[in-house]
Amino acid sequence: MPVTVLASAASCGVTSSALALTLASSRPSLLAECDPKGGTLRAGFLQGQVNAGFGLYHLAAAERVGPEALAQAFASHLWPVDEAGNRKVLPGLTDPAQAAALDRTWPSLSDVLHVLAHDAGHDVFVDAGRLAVASGRLHPTLTPAPLIHQADLVLLVVRNIEASLSLTRHLIEPLRAELDERGTGSSALGLLVIEREAANRGRGYTTHQIADALRTPVLAALPWDASAADFMAEGGAPPRGYARSDLLRHARTATEQLEAVAQRRRIQQEFPVQSPEPQLAGVLQRLTQHRVGRRG
Ligand SMILES: Nc1ncnc2c1ncn2[C@@H]1O[C@H](COP(=O)(O)OP(=O)(O)OP(=O)(O)O)[C@@H](O)[C@H]1O
Ligand SMILES: [Mg+2]
């Protein structure tokens, strides 16, 4: 199963979407809350059940001991969010000042997440929060850059409104370049669109328009569903009809789509299509031009 990182240009529903995907997946799943600006799950969805002695920050000290200590600490800091214990979360930082301690933890944590996804069959979602870019690069402390580099899929979460698109537009090129130079390639990059009543208000963009505008494929879409999303953000009693809510139903479909895209990407990376010889490419180009010309 893939390791999928979710991030954004501005607050727009990254944590709620990542949690919806984690809760909706038909496979064992994990949400790692790795937003360097601090986590909201602890005070929100988990309603303060998890204290500061538990979670991501404590992996930094374990990593300094060694990979085995990190793997053990990781397993003991996962909090179950369903009765069977198949869906878990790694609660995030309680203070943004803790992020600096994680600089050297991210690469090893990435390895652990990939083992969980690829060898233990978990759907792994990473909340990377709002992305900060400095001098055209992902900021080394304000983003969990190594997790983004190594991810099978990197989803920029956007809402289907101009305010969200205009901020996201500036992230696309630096992120693409970063993934090509330091990551698994820019083909990992896609969009997750939160669609707010496009048809009714006549103001929202369609997923096609968003893909065109940002020149990036839309890999998943989630509906605007305030009551289910508020439950993801704030916890408490699930709203009526939660199990069949639009958000969860679409999130389940999205997990299947994401798995299919990641699988296709794995195959393409294992068996890359050879580009034709330059001479052959020239002949093909002339042939196609000729045909277009004759038609015209
Ligand atoms: N699909 C949705 N439908 C309706 N409301 C949503 C949806 N997704 C998120 N929201 C709402 O948007 C608000 C912000 O959500 P969330 O905390 O997930 O955003 P975020 O991008 O993680 O923000 P931050 O960058 O501050 O961590 C919450 O009130 C949440 O209920
Ligand atoms: Mg968040």
Side-chain angles (χ1 to χ4, degrees):
M1 297 305 126
V3 174
T4 302
V5 166
L6 289 88
S8 68
S11 300
C12 61
V14 172
T15 306
S16 307
S17 302
L19 183 57
L21 294 168
T22 305
L23 294 172
S25 171
S26 57
R27 299 172 278 270
S29 56
L30 169 79
L31 167 55
E33 196 182 21
C34 299
D35 181 344
K37 292 171 197 78
T40 53
L41 280 177
R42 203 184 293 267
F45 185 72
L46 299 175
Q47 298 238 299
Q49 299 169 74
V50 181
N51 67 29
F54 193 94
L56 174 65
Y57 179 59
H58 301 279
L59 304 188
E63 187 277 332
R64 283 164 171 72
V65 178
E68 205 161 311
L70 174 66
Q72 276 177 12
F74 172 79
S76 63
H77 282 266
L78 301 182
W79 189 266
V81 287
D82 68 349
E83 277 179 19
N86 290 327
R87 302 165 203 287
K88 300 192 175 77
V89 299
L90 172 65
L93 303 179
T94 52
D95 177 350
Q98 296 171 334
L102 283 148
D103 275 6
R104 50 172 281 188
T105 314
W106 298 128
S108 312
L109 177 59
S110 178
D111 292 344
V112 173
L113 296 178
H114 281 270
V115 169
L116 191 70
H118 301 159
D119 300 348
H122 281 58
D123 251 337
V124 175
F125 299 99
V126 176
D127 177 349
R130 280 163 277 156
L131 294 184
V133 171
S135 312
R137 291 242 170 255
L138 286 177
H139 194 286
T141 305
L142 299 179
T143 65
L147 294 181
I148 296 170
H149 296 156
Q150 296 311 316
D152 297 304
L153 297 174
V154 178
L155 296 182
L156 278 177
V157 181
V158 288
R159 290 192 182 176
N160 62 337
I161 52 173
E162 184 57 38
S164 187
L165 297 197
S166 59
L167 286 174
T168 307
R169 194 169 279 123
H170 303 287
L171 276 181
I172 301 281
E173 280 319 314
L175 199 47
R176 226 193 279 280
E178 178 107 9
L179 289 170
D180 278 333
E181 286 165 33
R182 300 178 167 199
T184 65
S186 53
S187 61
L189 184 63
L191 303 172
L192 183 157
V193 177
I194 298 178
E195 293 182 288
R196 184 165 193 183
E197 301 152 24
N200 297 346
R201 298 188 315 152
R203 283 199 286 143
Y205 292 104
T206 65
T207 50
H208 285 296
Q209 288 170 326
I210 294 171
D212 279 353
L214 300 181
R215 286 182 290 116
T216 306
V218 173
L219 301 185
L222 295 178
W224 187 258
D225 180 348
S227 64
D230 283 352
F231 174 60
M232 302 290 158
E234 290 160 26
R240 259 175 81 108
Y242 157 74
R244 292 175 311 285
S245 62
D246 277 358
L247 183 58
L248 274 195
R249 284 189 301 108
H250 283 79
R252 194 178 182 99
T253 306
T255 60
E256 299 308 327
Q257 288 166 339
L258 295 174
E259 157 58 9
V261 175
Q263 174 88 15
R264 217 164 36 237
R265 210 175 154 247
R266 266 196 295 279
I267 293 170
Q268 277 163 359
Q269 285 182 328
E270 256 173 72
F271 307 103
V273 179
Q274 300 291 328
S275 50
E277 295 290 323
Q279 264 178 328
L280 186 56
V283 172
L284 287 175
Q285 201 183 0
R286 279 198 297 281
L287 277 174
T288 28
Q289 275 169 356
H290 184 59
R291 228 181 275 148
V292 172
R294 275 214 298 218
R295 250 192 238 132

